[in-house]
């Protein structure tokens, strides 16, 4: 027998009545927020979803009416420090509602902010443990920082206040150190931040050989906690860890560390701290050069003094030996003088001849030693003078630079302004033509 037909409204009323009679008044439901939007009337409309391996397995429309939403919102932001948004895991107290016209939906009565905090911490810890197992937490730290980071790749937003502070710190340093930098524009907050920063890192790596970067910095100013969530992303942390350059972060957040900070080579609190860190390398290197110069001067003086003392000692030794030999010879002569006058006279003549020969030999030896030591001292003096850069200039040679760097280390261009240093002058000139020696030949 065919079942009696009913209207759609009757069916919907039956569904509503059945749900009202069989369901509890409310349920605590764990779910992820899908789409989320505020209305002009103060209500919140959202989708609650459940996913397995990024596949949505369940989905239901939900509403938070204005009065309830304002209370939930204040409590949630007070506890978590962030706004309710898409992608969050929440524990929500819901009523199931079926409307004959609008269908099935959930009315959210409350959201437990402590559950969201726990889920967020759990996900963060899972990412840290995964990076640890994969050996990525300390991978970028294995780079040895250059003594001076002269070429820096910057990932930031040109409109970020932190970027402006960073550039001002580099350009207006008190010691006029020159840092060459290039900005790789990226979104540093919001849904696109992770993809944008990763793309910027890959772009830096593509330019690495041509640009010869020493360092990669990721900077931004401060901001709300939600703006920093992108820096806890696994894919971004993995990319930073595997970067082809040492990475320094200056994200400017109040929290102790983001995961991006943990995998970076060096973590600093703010963009200006990163700039100070880079400039400190220049300062330390300059101090090291000054120290080496002082040490070289001291060693040179010590060597000269040692040679002088050695020459003085040799001269004294020669005089002592000569005096000793002459005294001995004189004693021999006095002894023989007591013999017969004829024999003594004859013997005296022989001794006089012998003494003359000895004296001549001693003089020759003395002169030879003095000449050798003088030549050795002269050679040391010449060597020291040749080591002095000013010596080259006195020979008529010059030294030419562009922007403080020798021209043989640069690619010259027409209209480049060169500074040429002679012994007494600094000459500025403009390049009009550039000719290749090989082509002339």
């Amino acid at each position: 027998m065919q079942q009696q037909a009913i209207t759609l409204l009757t069916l919907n009323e039956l569904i509503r009545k059945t749900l009202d009679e069989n369901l509890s008044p409310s349920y605590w439901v764990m779910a992820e927020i899908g789409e989320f939007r505020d209305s002009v009337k103060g209500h919140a409309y959202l989708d609650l979803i459940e996913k397995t391996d990024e596949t949505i397995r369940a989905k239901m429309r939900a509403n938070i009416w204005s009065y309830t939403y304002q209370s939930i919102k204040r409590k949630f932001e007070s506890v978590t420090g962030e706004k309710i948004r898409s992608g969050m895991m929440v524990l929500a107290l819901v009523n199931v509602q079926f409307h004959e016209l609008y269908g099935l939906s959930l009315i959210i009565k409350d959201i437990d902010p402590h559950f969201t905090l726990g889920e967020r911490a759990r996900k963060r810890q899972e990412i840290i443990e995964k990076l640890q197992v994969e050996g990525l937490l300390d991978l970028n730290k294995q780079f040895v920082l250059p003594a001076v980071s002269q070429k820096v790749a910057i990932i930031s937003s040109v409109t970020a206040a932190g970027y402006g502070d960073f550039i001002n710190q580099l350009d207006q340093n008190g010691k006029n150190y020159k840092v060459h930098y290039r900005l790789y524009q990226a979104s540093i907050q919001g849904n696109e931040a992770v993809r944008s920063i990763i793309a910027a890192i890959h772009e830096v790596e593509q330019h690495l050989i041509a640009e010869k970067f020493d360092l990669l910095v990721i900077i931004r100013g401060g901001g709300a906690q939600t703006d920093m969530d992108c820096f806890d992303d696994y894919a971004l942390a993995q990319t930073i860890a595997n970067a082809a350059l040492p990475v320094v972060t200056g994200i400017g957040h109040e929290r102790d560390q983001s995961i991006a900070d943990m995998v970076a080579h060096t973590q600093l609190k703010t963009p200006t701290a990163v700039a100070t860190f880079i400039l400190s390398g220049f300062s330390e290197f300059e101090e090291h050069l000054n120290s080496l110069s002082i040490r070289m001067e001291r060693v040179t003086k010590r060597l000269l003094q040692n040679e002088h003392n050695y020459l003085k000692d040799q001269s004294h030794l020669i005089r002592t030996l000569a005096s000793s030999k002459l005294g001995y010879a004189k004693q021999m002569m006095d002894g023989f003088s007591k013999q017969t006058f004829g024999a003594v006279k004859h013997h005296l003549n022989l001794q006089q001849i012998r003494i003359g020969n000895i004296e001549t030999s001693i003089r020759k030896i003395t002169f030879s030693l003095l000449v050798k030591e003088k030549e050795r001292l002269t050679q040391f003096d010449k060597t020291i003078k040749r080591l002095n850069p000013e010596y080259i200039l006195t020979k008529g040679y010059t030294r030419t630079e562009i922007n403080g760097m020798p021209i043989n280390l640069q690619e010259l261009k027409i209209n480049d302004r060169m500074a040429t240093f002679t012994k007494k002058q600094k000459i500025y000139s403009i390049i009009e033509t550039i000719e290749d020696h090989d082509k002339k030949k």
Side-chain angles (χ1 to χ4, degrees), residues 26-29 91-95 107-112:
S26 60
Y27 294 89
W28 282 102
V29 177
L91 178 62
L93 180 65
V94 303
N95 293 343
I107 305 301
I108 297 178
K109 296 297 186 181
D110 197 7
I111 294 178
D112 184 358

Side-chain angles (χ1 to χ4, degrees), residues 17-129:
K17 183 179 179 182
T18 302
L19 292 176
D20 290 344
E21 292 175 352
N22 291 277
L23 294 180
S24 297
S26 60
Y27 294 89
W28 282 102
V29 177
M30 294 182 295
E32 180 181 329
I33 299 177
E35 292 187 15
F36 182 89
R37 62 188 183 281
D38 292 324
S39 73
V40 294
K41 295 183 180 180
H43 310 305
Y45 301 104
L46 58 153
D47 291 333
L48 293 181
I49 61 175
E50 182 173 341
K51 296 189 293 186
T52 303
D53 297 330
E54 300 304 317
T55 300
I56 296 178
R57 307 299 297 274
K59 181 177 180 180
M60 188 169 290
R61 182 166 46 87
N63 307 319
I64 312 177
W65 302 126
S66 176
Y67 184 81
T68 304
Y69 179 50
Q70 299 308 315
S71 175
I72 291 174
K73 181 180 178 182
R74 283 194 298 271
K75 180 175 69 172
F76 189 90
E77 292 180 4
S78 174
V79 173
T80 66
E82 51 185 317
K83 297 180 180 179
I84 300 172
R85 55 180 173 80
S86 297
M88 280 185 169
M89 284 295 296
V90 294
L91 178 62
L93 180 65
V94 303
N95 293 343
V96 181
Q97 175 179 284
F98 184 85
H99 192 277
E100 291 83 351
L101 181 59
Y102 300 110
L104 188 67
S105 64
L106 301 176
I107 305 301
I108 297 178
K109 296 297 186 181
D110 197 7
I111 294 178
D112 184 358
H114 298 286
F115 173 85
T116 302
L117 272 180
E119 278 295 297
R120 190 171 182 276
R122 180 186 62 79
K123 287 184 178 180
R124 186 173 188 271
Q125 187 60 35
E126 285 179 354
I127 292 174
I128 292 172
E129 290 175 357

